[in-house]
Amino acid sequence: MQWNLRMRAAERGIWKSAEMRRRLAAAGLEISAGKMSGWWAGTPPTIRLEELDVICSILECTPSDLMTPEPEKVDARRPRQAEAINSENENGPRVAPRFGKPRSEPPL
């Protein structure tokens, strides 16, 4: 996901992180300077839903306006089918669970 807080803030005339932080505080959300700096820099945030609600309220947007999916990054993380088959052959057979024979009971 790409985090677009700065772009959405600019669309509302908020050009500095300090101004955004003041507006969040006025809405009841106190954010540390470090956390705000990370959000403003575009670092994908760790964010609570309550925080997201306040941000969306201030910027008059939806969560989907703040986040843009990047499916190509997801695809890049998946192993290619041929690579997965080759690594399986090199590492031996896949381990599969055995059903039918339960573990023994512990001693009393």
Side-chain angles (χ1 to χ4, degrees):
M1 288 280 176
Q2 182 179 356
W3 181 241
N4 300 317
L5 175 67
R6 199 169 183 173
M7 180 67 77
R8 297 300 162 241
E11 290 172 353
R12 298 286 177 245
I14 303 170
W15 299 101
K16 296 189 178 203
S17 65
E19 173 65 20
M20 183 67 187
R21 198 165 159 229
R22 277 192 293 273
R23 290 190 186 199
L24 290 171
L29 180 60
E30 295 287 334
I31 298 294
S32 71
K35 190 172 188 176
M36 188 73 232
S37 176
W39 286 0
W40 201 252
T43 305
T46 301
I47 191 167
R48 294 188 335 244
L49 292 177
E50 299 86 30
E51 296 170 339
L52 188 59
D53 278 341
V54 174
I55 292 169
C56 289
S57 174
I58 289 171
L59 298 179
E60 300 173 8
C61 67
T62 64
S64 62
D65 295 331
L66 292 170
M67 296 177 271
T68 306
E70 296 177 309
E72 64 279 356
K73 286 186 178 179
V74 174
D75 291 340
R77 294 180 77 166
R78 290 186 186 141
R80 298 198 191 299
Q81 188 67 16
E83 291 172 1
I85 291 170
N86 290 339
S87 67
E88 182 181 314
N89 292 339
E90 292 171 4
N91 297 330
R94 287 190 171 185
V95 176
R98 295 185 312 179
F99 298 104
K101 200 170 187 188
R103 291 184 174 188
S104 62
E105 297 277 325
L108 296 174

